[in-house]
Amino acid sequence: MAKKPTAKNQKSFEESLWESANKLRGSVEPSEYKHVVLSLIFLKFVSDTFEVRKKEIIAEHGSQYVDMVEFYTMKNVFYLPEDSRWSYILQNAKQDDIAVKIDTALHDIEKKNKALAGALPDNYFSRLDLEASKLAALLDEINNIQTINSQHEDVVGRVYEYFLGKFALAEGKGKGEFYTPKSIVNLIAEMIEPYKGKIYDPCCGSGGMFVQSMKFVDSHKGNRKDISIYGQEQTTTTYKLAKMNLAIRGIAANLGAASRDTFAKDQHPDLKADFIMANPPFNQKAWRADNELVNDPRWDGFETPPTSNANYGWILHMVSKLSESGVAGFILANGALSGDGTEKAIRKAMLEKNLVEAIAVLPMRMFYTTDISVTLWILNRNKKAHTVPHGDLTRHYRDREQEVLFLDLRKIGEPFEKKYVQLSEQHIKDIANTFHTWQETRAKDEYQHIPEYCYSATLEEIRAKDYSLVPSKYIEFVNRDENIDFDEKMALLQGEFTELLKAEAQSKQALLNVFKELGYAIEL
């Protein structure tokens, strides 16, 4: 009697496409290969939207207008010369010069559409020297993305976002800085609520903060026209990723004229943003010379940040960009919570100026680039009692000028991709609700301290702790042994867990070797 096939988990469309594309990678590094795949996804998307618009023009005005660029741009569609269209690329996929044809197509698309200036790879495919057969096979896989329907932005946006995350995972520790894990971006958006106004990210990576901001607006039935986006990115290839990522979703943004160092060349010097969302490089060393940026106006009212670590340089840069009621949510390494010397002086000044609103320590292993626990900072220029229209509602905020909310989220989260942790939608909802309950005057809900989770500390309490912003100094721990350093204990347990994973992997490999010697080819 034949055995019944075992049920398998149904793979998502994105997952199947990723697996197929990844098999074709060969010896190309993920850091290089991501630009190949994401550029082709972009090319497929703009080609499909072009073809849809072309048919509309013929139906409405006649075939004589199909090559008038204005008829495409008026509908936010990019015009594509004939040799830049997906159909042409696919027809020539088996030719030895297909890489040159793709480079030419991307160059011509950028040349014809001013909005894409500086966005697309320049002669990238030819330089990479990817095997023509593998490139042709990859084109076939990308061709499976069916974007020609009313939801084309959702489909291709989902694929693009999924691939960005998978490439960040593949690049691993020390790389992948272009990507901030989705659940962290969602948490920032739900906490600071970028509903209306100017949004800024001084180190925007691939643009994930902006994408999530727009999703927040859409989910709360806001109007995208009420949002203006500004950003800057230093790495040229990442700058291009961001421009493509936003173009796919029809999001207009000012990312500056080119990729530039935010400290050395601020491309938005006069900007005052209503919302700032950022994930700056952690503990950036030698970010300026000793004699550079000493009297920079961004440090007005504060000491000049030390050259040894850029953390407080990023903080003060963002403070300088906030409007009178501006709010910022950003991620930093935990060391910024309690540094001495100049960092302490800046932190003290920020607290005395009532700029710090909330500090939340995130779970370990959320980032693909580091396994340490990091901190979410919320800064707010208006912590006084005030009333703000919010969609169909009116928010009544209480006076929290002399208080800071501390959150310890290290015990929250769910497994993700086996060795990582992410926050679920419910986790994010609960955390944001705690924050907003603390902020607002509500008829039913009232904020309460919760041991091992949250505590609202007064400025007097923070002064007594020498202006430290380490949450564990304020949050109550049940049956706490004062002789135990909980941060050190968590780090120790993390190390033990990592060693267990290594041992398990070694055992599996040893077992595979035994089967291999016996002539069996199996996978565990």
Side-chain angles (χ1 to χ4, degrees), residues 263 280 298-299 305 310-322 330 332 336 346 350 377 379:
F263 292 123
R298 288 173 285 188
W299 325 142
N311 286 343
Y312 276 81
W314 285 111
I315 293 174
L316 292 188
H317 173 82
M318 288 184 274
V319 167
S320 74
K321 295 296 184 185
L322 285 175
F330 54 89
L332 285 178
I346 296 172
M350 290 171 57
W377 293 54
L379 304 185

Side-chain angles (χ1 to χ4, degrees), residues 6-299:
T6 55
K8 294 183 178 180
N9 293 330
Q10 185 69 33
K11 291 181 180 178
S12 67
F13 167 67
E14 299 96 323
E15 185 179 3
S16 297
L17 184 60
W18 164 261
E19 288 186 359
S20 298
N22 201 41
K23 287 176 182 177
L24 303 170
R25 183 163 61 87
S27 60
V28 182
E29 289 294 318
S31 57
E32 298 279 3
Y33 192 60
K34 71 169 176 272
H35 299 292
V36 173
V37 176
L38 294 173
S39 297
L40 292 178
I41 292 174
F42 177 83
L43 182 57
K44 174 72 163 62
F45 166 72
V46 295
S47 294
D48 286 353
T49 53
F50 169 84
E51 295 295 343
V52 170
R53 179 59 185 153
K54 179 182 175 183
K55 290 178 181 177
E56 291 175 351
I57 293 170
I58 293 173
E60 295 171 8
H61 306 286
S63 58
Q64 66 270 31
Y65 295 101
V66 294
D67 289 317
M68 290 191 66
V69 178
E70 296 82 1
F71 277 79
Y72 296 89
T73 55
M74 66 187 293
K75 294 290 187 179
N76 294 318
V77 173
F78 299 116
Y79 175 80
L80 273 61
E82 188 170 348
D83 291 353
S84 297
R85 298 166 193 173
W86 185 258
S87 55
Y88 175 82
I89 297 298
L90 214 58
Q91 287 168 8
N92 290 274
K94 304 298 189 287
Q95 302 299 315
D96 291 338
D97 65 343
I98 184 59
V100 175
K101 284 182 166 59
I102 294 172
D103 281 330
T104 303
L106 294 170
H107 172 78
D108 291 346
I109 292 172
E110 186 173 316
K111 188 177 179 180
K112 280 286 186 181
N113 299 275
K114 293 180 180 179
L116 291 175
L120 305 182
D122 183 19
N123 200 32
Y124 192 82
F125 286 78
S126 301
R127 285 188 286 112
L128 192 57
D129 196 28
L130 187 68
E131 289 181 32
S133 59
K134 288 188 175 181
L135 189 50
L138 180 59
L139 288 166
D140 287 337
E141 290 298 335
I142 301 297
N143 193 52
N144 290 330
I145 306 175
Q146 300 299 320
T147 67
I148 306 179
N149 56 58
S150 60
Q151 299 298 318
H152 59 267
E153 287 184 23
D154 291 336
V155 172
V156 79
R158 265 175 36 214
V159 172
Y160 201 90
E161 186 173 325
Y162 182 84
F163 272 53
L164 280 172
K166 295 296 284 188
F167 278 120
L169 280 166
E171 289 183 60
K173 192 170 184 179
K175 299 180 180 179
E177 293 90 346
F178 63 90
Y179 184 81
T180 305
K182 185 178 176 181
S183 68
I184 293 178
V185 183
N186 290 350
L187 177 62
I188 295 174
E190 289 297 329
M191 290 183 75
I192 73 171
E193 299 182 305
Y195 195 75
K196 185 177 183 179
K198 296 177 181 178
I199 300 175
Y200 174 59
D201 185 345
C203 40
C204 66
S206 55
M209 298 288 185
F210 302 136
V211 171
Q212 204 54 46
S213 296
M214 286 304 187
K215 287 183 179 179
F216 177 87
V217 171
D218 293 341
S219 65
H220 290 77
K221 295 182 170 50
N223 190 338
R224 289 192 174 204
K225 293 181 180 179
D226 291 336
I227 294 290
S228 299
I229 288 175
Y230 299 83
Q232 187 158 336
E233 171 56 41
Q234 180 177 357
T235 306
T236 300
T237 52
T238 308
Y239 172 83
K240 292 176 183 291
L241 281 182
K243 296 203 77 170
M244 284 192 288
N245 194 13
L246 298 177
I248 276 175
R249 294 170 169 84
I251 300 175
N254 181 347
L255 303 187
S259 54
R260 293 287 184 271
D261 182 326
T262 301
F263 292 123
K265 179 60 178 177
D266 181 6
Q267 298 192 78
H268 308 289
D270 301 319
L271 176 67
K272 292 298 179 183
D274 300 291
F275 303 97
I276 295 177
M277 303 172 69
N279 172 26
F282 296 160
N283 302 320
Q284 193 176 356
K285 310 297 181 187
W287 61 283
R288 66 176 181 87
D290 289 337
N291 61 345
E292 289 179 340
L293 303 175
V294 175
N295 297 312
D296 195 282
R298 288 173 285 188
W299 325 142

